[in-house]
């Protein structure tokens, strides 16, 4: 069985290009609810699926979403990527009634637009679908993780 690489918070932040102090503030405030658990005195460790959430969290905030919404969406998409590891794309589906919610699932489970009038997800009509290419994102994260792991010596404060 292959060893799954895990990154400390400092290394994960370098890979995802997010400020470590701001991330810790977001985690403490509950705006990034899927951050890996930790206990005092231990490093928080991010696996590749955690890194999908972290990467998307940063991207969503760069796109103008507030941190709470960015965290909610990133965590749902990353959970779907974890649940469906062979999925190359994850769709984030928003409905008409719960504008702050949303459901994430493999993109190939979303019907064509012509069928949206007769299709529901969780009993709600589809308002909008945004698709994220998690297969490519996994490859990018793996590449930058390997670059990070190739550094010899202490880089974390």
């Amino acid at each position: 069985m292959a060893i799954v690489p895990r990154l400390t918070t400092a290394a994960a932040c370098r890979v995802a290009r997010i400020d470590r102090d701001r991330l810790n503030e977001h985690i403490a405030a509950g705006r990034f609810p899927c951050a890996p658990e930790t206990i005092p005195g231990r490093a928080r460790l991010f696996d590749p699926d955690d890194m999908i959430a972290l990467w998307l969290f940063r991207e969503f905030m760069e796109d103008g979403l507030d941190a709470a919404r960015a965290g909610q969406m990133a965590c749902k998409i990353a959970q779907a990527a974890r649940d469906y590891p062979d999925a190359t794309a994850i769709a984030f589906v928003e409905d008409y009634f719960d504008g702050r919610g949303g459901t994430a699932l493999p993109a190939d489970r979303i019907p064509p637009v012509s069928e949206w009038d007769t299709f529901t997800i969780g009993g709600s009509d589809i308002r909008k679908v945004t698709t994220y290419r998690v297969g490519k994102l996994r490859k990018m994260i793996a590449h930058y993780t390997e670059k990070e792991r190739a550094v010899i010596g202490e880089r974390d404060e």
Side-chain angles (χ1 to χ4, degrees):
M1 177 178 246
I3 296 175
V4 176
R6 298 188 308 161
L7 299 171
T8 63
T9 300
C13 287
R14 286 191 294 270
V15 168
R17 301 182 327 268
I18 188 168
D19 182 86
R20 179 181 173 182
D21 292 332
R22 298 299 80 73
L23 175 63
N24 285 329
E25 291 169 5
H26 291 308
I27 291 170
R31 294 184 291 260
F32 187 61
C34 60
E37 294 292 324
T38 189
I39 58 173
R42 285 237 172 125
R44 190 181 305 274
L45 298 175
F46 289 76
D47 69 24
D49 291 314
D50 297 324
M51 289 302 299
I52 290 173
L54 185 59
W55 189 288
L56 290 174
F57 180 62
R58 187 231 346 124
E59 283 188 346
F60 292 159
M61 289 190 299
E62 286 178 354
D63 287 346
L65 289 179
D66 66 81
R69 179 67 172 153
Q72 178 192 44
M73 288 176 58
C75 291
K76 286 184 178 184
I77 294 164
Q79 184 60 53
R82 187 181 303 275
D83 292 344
Y84 302 96
D86 295 329
T88 59
I90 298 293
F92 188 76
V93 182
E94 297 174 68
D95 64 36
Y96 283 99
F97 304 106
D98 185 14
R100 299 288 299 176
T103 303
L105 61 156
D108 60 6
R109 294 194 179 187
I110 303 299
V113 175
S114 61
E115 296 176 24
W116 284 12
D117 285 338
T118 60
F119 185 82
T120 61
I121 294 179
S124 297
D125 292 340
I126 297 173
R127 178 177 72 88
K128 177 169 85 171
V129 176
T130 308
T131 304
Y132 298 91
R133 192 174 162 202
V134 295
K136 175 68 173 183
L137 185 52
R138 285 182 192 283
K139 289 177 185 174
M140 291 169 46
I141 289 168
H143 170 78
Y144 290 115
T145 296
E146 281 307 306
K147 282 183 74 171
E148 179 68 25
R149 289 168 30 121
V151 175
I152 297 174
E154 293 297 318
R155 288 183 63 188
D156 300 342
E157 295 92 47

